[in-house]
């Protein structure tokens, strides 16, 4: 009987999710119109990648603390065109990143990235961009369990990374790893930050030995597994309610990093790989294809009572099949990393979007 109830609820959730997805077209635009009426640029997320002799914004050699898995040039990548591409929005210009200005604007503040290794990718990008801007400024880098803190003492600015791939609770009970879709008891470190940037999705797709849970629990129901998009939406809804209830928005700005696409098989509707790719996709008609996880993010953010801002990195990143480490990242020639991004690279543009939003005070 309990099994039938669980199946019935799962089917109901599927139907509800399908209904929501059908209503999700244009969700970002509606959300921005609602929460960002004074926006000076209509949309940074739509545009094209253009060659720029002034790029990259830094070299990997300028960044001694760069993770080896992101340092594609040091790992032997022979081509360099991917380093020279600048994002050009259709309706406006994206402000060039000014690291000194960023540090001055955020003097005395704590900025925390919360998420998986793609949050690490963006956090590392930002630390490199800032170190390039003030190469003689002292810095410190400390790591303790799941927390990494990069600080510029002269500016009293701390850039923090809290590794939490799923955002909701993952506990061990009776020898089993239980993913609790309706529970967040691990959010205390998020409180009191000046800026929060959240991210979660890629770990929801793992299977086999890489799957981080044994059991999924939602309220009193337990599942060996379930549709990952449904699980993600339930978890994101739990996260949104926690944020609405626990973050002081008079003191904290909250962002959600949009879904970062991988390029194993998700461009032009064909099975493909990022391996050997050296050019970006030029056809803007291929931009903005509906990413189901991105639609979930847009829906959840649009229903929040507090203003959480979307860093819409999905469509611009979809064009960069050339931007991944592939065999020049983790795993080397025995791997093919089409999920993370080379640095310098695409995450630098994500941080330009962050900088632009702070300049315009959202």
């Amino acid at each position: 009987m309990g099994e039938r109830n669980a199946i019935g609820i799962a089917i109901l959730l599927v139907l509800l999710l399908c209904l929501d997805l059908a209503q999700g077209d244009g969700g970002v635009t509606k959300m921005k119109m609602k929460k960002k009426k004074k926006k000076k640029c209509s949309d940074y997320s739509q545009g094209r990648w253009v060659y720029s002799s002034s790029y990259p914004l830094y070299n990997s050699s300028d960044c001694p603390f760069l993770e080896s898995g992101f340092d594609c040039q040091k790992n032997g990548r022979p081509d360099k065109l991917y380093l020279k591409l600048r994002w050009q929005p259709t309706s406006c210009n994206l402000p060039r990143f000014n690291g000194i200005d960023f540090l001055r604007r955020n003097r005395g503040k704590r900025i925390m990235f919360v998420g998986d290794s793609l949050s690490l990718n963006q956090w590392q990008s930002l630390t490199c961009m800032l170190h390039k801007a003030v190469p003689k400024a002292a810095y410190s880098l400390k790591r303790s369990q799941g927390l990494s803190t990069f600080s510029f003492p002269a500016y009293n600015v701390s850039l923090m990374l809290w590794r939490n791939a799923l955002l909701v609770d993952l506990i061990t009970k009776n020898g089993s790893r239980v993913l609790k879709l309706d529970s967040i008891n691990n959010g205390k470190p998020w409180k009191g930050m000046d800026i929060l940037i959240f991210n979660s999705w890629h770990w929801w797709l793992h299977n086999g030995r890489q799957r981080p849970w044994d059991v999924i629990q939602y309220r009193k129901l337990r599942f060996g597994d379930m549709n990952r998009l449904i699980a993600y939406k339930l978890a994101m809804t739990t996260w949104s309610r926690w944020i609405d209830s626990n973050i002081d928005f008079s003191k904290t700005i909250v962002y959600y990093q949009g879904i970062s696409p991988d390029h194993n098989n998700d461009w032009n509707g064909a099975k493909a790989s990022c391996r050997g790719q050296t050019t970006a996709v030029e056809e803007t008609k291929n931009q903005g294809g509906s990413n189901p996880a991105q639609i979930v993010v847009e829906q959840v953010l649009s229903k929040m009572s507090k203003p959480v801002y979307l860093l819409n990195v999905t469509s611009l990143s979809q064009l960069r099949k050339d931007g991944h480490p592939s065999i020049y990242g983790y795993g080397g020639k025995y791997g093919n990393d089409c999920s993370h991004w080379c640095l310098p690279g695409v995450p630098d543009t994500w941080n330009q979007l962050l900088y632009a939003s702070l300049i315009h005070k959202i």
Side-chain angles (χ1 to χ4, degrees):
M1 191 71 175
E3 183 178 353
R4 290 183 179 179
N5 288 339
I7 293 173
I9 291 174
I11 292 173
L12 177 61
L13 289 172
V14 171
L15 294 174
L16 290 172
L17 181 61
C18 291
L19 178 61
D20 280 345
L21 292 177
Q23 296 174 338
D25 188 34
V28 165
T29 302
K30 293 177 182 178
M31 182 183 66
K32 288 182 177 178
M33 289 175 62
K34 177 181 177 181
K35 298 181 185 288
K36 301 176 78 171
K37 293 181 180 179
K38 296 182 180 180
K39 187 178 180 184
K40 296 182 180 180
C41 180
S42 60
D43 190 357
Y44 285 130
S45 70
Q46 299 298 313
R48 60 195 179 97
W49 291 96
V50 299
Y51 179 88
S52 175
S53 59
S54 66
Y55 271 55
L57 298 176
Y58 59 92
N59 294 310
S60 61
S61 58
D62 298 322
C63 192
F65 40 81
L66 181 61
E67 295 268 340
S68 61
F70 303 148
D71 193 347
C72 300
Q73 287 294 300
K74 186 176 181 179
N75 293 332
R77 181 166 177 172
D79 61 302
K80 291 182 169 55
L81 178 60
Y82 75 96
L83 296 169
K84 308 297 290 184
L85 298 182
R86 173 180 62 82
W87 179 246
Q88 178 58 58
T90 300
S91 58
C92 55
N93 291 318
L94 184 61
R96 187 173 176 88
F97 186 82
N98 184 325
I100 294 176
D101 181 61
F102 185 98
L103 289 168
R104 287 174 176 170
R105 287 175 182 269
N106 292 290
R107 188 183 295 274
K109 293 184 178 181
R110 295 186 297 167
I111 301 169
M112 178 179 279
F113 292 84
V114 183
D116 55 27
S117 54
L118 287 158
S119 290
L120 168 63
N121 225 169
Q122 186 178 4
W123 174 77
Q124 281 247 290
S125 163
L126 185 56
T127 58
C128 289
M129 293 164 77
L130 293 174
H131 179 61
K132 174 64 175 179
V134 289
K136 296 183 179 180
Y139 68 85
S140 66
L141 175 56
K142 299 178 181 179
R143 290 186 171 94
S144 177
Q145 296 180 339
L147 178 66
S148 300
T149 303
F150 193 103
S151 300
F152 291 93
Y155 295 89
N156 193 22
V157 172
S158 294
L159 307 170
M160 309 167 79
L161 171 69
W162 185 261
R163 296 292 291 268
N164 187 327
L166 302 168
L167 299 184
V168 292
D169 290 336
L170 180 63
I171 66 170
T172 299
K173 187 174 183 180
N174 298 326
S176 293
R177 299 167 300 170
V178 182
L179 177 62
K180 304 186 70 174
L181 300 180
D182 60 344
S183 172
I184 294 180
N185 291 312
N186 57 19
K188 186 176 180 180
W190 310 344
K191 296 182 179 181
M193 295 295 122
D194 296 285
I195 299 174
L196 287 165
I197 305 104
F198 289 92
N199 156 63
S200 180
W201 173 237
H202 278 238
W203 277 81
W204 293 90
L205 301 175
H206 287 339
N207 289 303
R209 293 182 178 180
Q210 290 188 321
R211 194 179 75 174
W213 64 81
D214 300 309
V215 177
I216 295 177
Q217 180 174 330
Y218 182 68
R219 298 180 180 173
K220 295 183 179 181
L221 297 172
R222 285 196 167 205
F223 307 87
D225 204 354
M226 65 188 299
N227 180 287
R228 303 301 176 79
L229 201 59
I230 293 175
Y232 180 63
K233 184 168 186 179
L234 291 171
M236 281 294 298
T237 301
T238 298
W239 169 85
S240 69
R241 291 170 178 167
W242 191 97
I243 293 294
D244 274 340
S245 300
N246 290 276
I247 298 299
D248 183 350
F249 279 76
S250 68
K251 299 178 180 179
T252 303
I253 299 173
V254 181
Y255 292 92
Y256 197 90
Q257 180 206 91
I259 302 301
S260 173
D262 64 45
H263 284 93
N264 284 307
N265 58 7
D266 68 348
W267 80 89
N268 291 338
K271 290 185 177 181
S273 167
C274 68
R275 185 167 183 169
Q277 298 294 329
T278 59
T279 59
V281 176
E282 295 182 0
E283 296 84 355
T284 56
K285 67 181 180 180
N286 290 328
Q287 260 185 271
S290 298
N291 183 306
Q294 179 73 0
I295 293 174
V296 167
V297 169
E298 294 166 7
Q299 290 174 345
V300 170
L301 297 189
S302 70
K303 294 176 182 179
M304 294 181 68
S305 63
K306 304 292 178 59
V308 173
Y309 301 100
L310 176 65
L311 288 179
N312 194 347
V313 305
T314 304
S315 57
L316 66 90
S317 302
Q318 281 177 334
L319 299 180
R320 293 302 305 276
K321 57 184 172 63
D322 61 319
H324 301 285
S326 182
I327 61 173
Y328 305 105
Y330 297 114
K333 64 181 180 179
Y334 299 105
N336 188 34
D337 185 355
C338 295
S339 297
H340 301 100
W341 303 90
C342 294
L343 294 179
V346 173
D348 302 334
T349 298
W350 303 351
N351 285 318
Q352 285 185 275
L353 296 179
L354 175 65
Y355 176 63
S357 72
L358 294 173
I359 287 177
H360 300 312
K361 298 182 179 178
I362 313 189

